[in-house]
Amino acid sequence: MKKVKTVKKRKFKFRILGYAFLVFLGYQISFNVIMNIKLAHTNEEFIKGLLADSNYHLLYEKKADNLLNKMFSYIFDINEPVSILENTFHYKANKETNGYVSNPKKNMQVSKMKTEPLVYIYNTHQSEEYQGKAFEPYNITPGVMMASYLFQDKLEKLEVNTIVLEDNVIDYMNLNNMKYSQSYKASRKFIEQTIKNTPSLKLIIDLHRDSVSKEKATTIINNKSCAKISFVIGNEHDNYEQNLELTNKLNNMIKEKYPNLTRGVLIKGGKGNNGIYNQDISPKQTLIEIGSHESTIDEVLNTIELLSPIIEEFVHES
């Protein structure tokens, strides 16, 4: 009898330990799943989340994702069953062929079509900033680099493959004791090779912000405050007329849909002006100024939302 009781006690202890282990394992798995859930999948979603308290119309946008949906989507994507293997068994599928190869040559062609960059965005003046009180608690100052990533997110949602300059031009200038007036020489160091090595590009944008007053830099479209844009073209290089033609076409497309959004095309050259703006590298280049130092980042985002479909149309027509 004593042996039977001893065996039962041991079994009971093992059972308790087993239950405790399962509870601990369940806790660890749940914790890891929740901690790895991305509540913001893109730069745009992250920015919108921070702006929600400062921009009323963002509060009422329909959101298809909630926490529960995100928990399930972390485990698998119903539109891509292979994600069950990826997330559960760490299986790495071939993203370009959806996990299988039915016709390698054909799939390679489709993949190439999808991945060829059409738009390149860079910032010669990476330190140009916007207003953004919603970012103060995070010690973040919104600027033209943030606008570039927002632009990239928006364009890629429209299936326009876009690349953004990620190199730190400011650090490069500091290391080489370069003055602010030499910014275009510094940015050229980073962009020239990329442009020459990417023949698929249809549009190359040097994204800036202006320094005009809030009144001149703002307009209301669809009951939203938007940052006005302007284009700058240098006329002291051989590609001047081609750059101007491209820019005029884009500006006219914007004017057709939103006449008050653009302040027009400024042609600059002569004493006191750059006159080139690195636009001699390619006839597909333009310089766009979105808003001013008094514009808020949410006004810039509103403009990007309007401008992105126009650029999508532009690059597919070119």
Side-chain angles (χ1 to χ4, degrees):
M1 289 295 291
K2 288 182 179 180
K3 288 184 179 180
V4 172
K5 288 181 179 179
T6 302
V7 171
K8 286 184 177 180
K9 285 182 179 179
R10 285 179 181 176
K11 286 184 178 180
F12 180 74
K13 288 179 179 178
F14 282 122
R15 193 175 298 164
I16 293 298
L17 288 173
Y19 288 144
F21 176 76
L22 289 174
V23 170
F24 175 76
L25 184 63
Y27 166 78
Q28 287 294 325
I29 292 172
S30 300
F31 179 79
N32 286 330
V33 168
I34 292 171
M35 290 302 292
N36 282 283
I37 291 173
K38 292 183 179 179
L39 294 179
H41 294 284
T42 64
N43 294 307
E44 183 187 355
E45 285 184 34
F46 173 70
I47 301 301
K48 281 189 174 184
L50 294 180
L51 293 175
D53 292 332
S54 64
N55 193 337
Y56 70 93
H57 79 273
L58 294 176
L59 291 171
Y60 302 102
E61 286 193 350
K62 293 180 180 178
K63 297 184 183 295
D65 291 335
N66 55 36
L67 185 60
L68 187 61
N69 288 336
K70 291 180 185 293
M71 289 182 68
F72 280 111
S73 66
Y74 176 77
I75 300 171
F76 65 90
D77 184 345
I78 59 174
N79 296 315
E80 293 189 34
V82 76
S83 63
I84 300 174
L85 294 175
E86 290 183 297
N87 292 307
T88 308
F89 301 105
H90 303 289
Y91 168 78
K92 297 299 179 185
N94 186 334
K95 294 294 186 181
E96 296 179 355
T97 58
N98 292 324
Y100 61 88
V101 181
S102 57
N103 186 337
K105 190 173 182 180
K106 182 178 178 181
N107 285 327
M108 283 176 68
Q109 291 173 345
V110 172
S111 173
K112 186 177 179 182
M113 287 174 62
K114 287 184 178 180
T115 58
E116 283 184 342
L118 298 178
V119 177
Y120 180 31
I121 304 173
Y122 65 94
N123 309 105
T124 292
H125 294 154
Q126 290 181 335
S127 61
E128 291 180 333
E129 300 175 351
Y130 294 111
Q131 301 296 317
K133 291 184 179 180
F135 292 88
E136 289 178 359
Y138 304 92
N139 198 27
I140 297 173
T141 303
V144 291
M145 290 186 70
M146 183 182 287
S148 294
Y149 287 114
L150 289 170
F151 227 146
Q152 181 186 40
D153 282 339
K154 205 68 180 175
L155 287 170
E156 290 193 343
K157 284 180 180 177
L158 296 171
E159 299 185 356
V160 176
N161 197 331
T162 303
I163 51 178
V164 171
L165 174 67
E166 296 180 355
D167 296 284
N168 195 314
V169 178
I170 299 172
D171 282 353
Y172 175 80
M173 292 177 67
N174 290 335
L175 287 170
N176 290 276
N177 297 316
M178 299 175 74
K179 298 178 181 178
Y180 188 77
S181 59
Q182 296 175 292
S183 296
Y184 287 94
K185 182 179 179 181
S187 65
R188 191 183 187 94
K189 187 77 176 178
F190 295 100
I191 66 172
E192 191 168 27
Q193 206 60 40
T194 300
I195 292 172
K196 288 182 178 179
N197 291 341
T198 318
S200 59
L201 292 173
K202 299 291 185 69
L203 182 62
I204 301 157
I205 300 171
D206 187 3
L207 188 61
H208 292 251
R209 64 112 174 101
D210 209 339
S211 56
V212 296
S213 66
K214 176 79 171 180
E215 184 181 358
K216 289 183 178 179
T218 311
T219 187
I220 303 298
I221 299 176
N222 299 331
N223 295 320
K224 298 178 185 179
S225 182
C226 302
K228 285 189 175 184
I229 69 169
S230 60
F231 296 90
V232 177
I233 295 296
N235 64 359
E236 296 181 359
H237 59 93
D238 294 338
N239 292 330
Y240 156 62
E241 291 183 356
Q242 291 172 288
N243 291 129
L244 181 61
E245 182 181 358
L246 172 141
T247 302
N248 280 334
K249 179 181 177 182
L250 182 56
N251 185 58
N252 288 335
M253 290 175 71
I254 296 168
K255 285 173 67 176
E256 284 180 13
K257 293 188 177 182
Y258 311 108
N260 297 325
L261 186 60
T262 173
R263 294 167 49 218
V265 180
L266 306 175
I267 301 173
K268 291 189 176 182
K271 190 175 180 179
N273 292 300
N274 183 285
I276 299 177
Y277 303 105
N278 287 330
Q279 292 165 1
D280 58 315
I281 300 174
S282 169
K284 299 174 183 177
Q285 284 179 258
T286 191
L287 188 156
I288 301 180
E289 295 179 323
I290 301 183
S292 75
H293 62 294
E294 295 186 353
S295 299
T296 62
I297 189 64
D298 44 345
E299 290 172 332
V300 173
L301 176 56
N302 288 339
T303 296
I304 288 172
E305 288 177 337
L306 298 176
L307 193 56
S308 296
I310 298 174
I311 288 180
E312 185 263 344
E313 182 182 346
F314 175 86
V315 295
H316 285 136
E317 284 184 359
S318 301

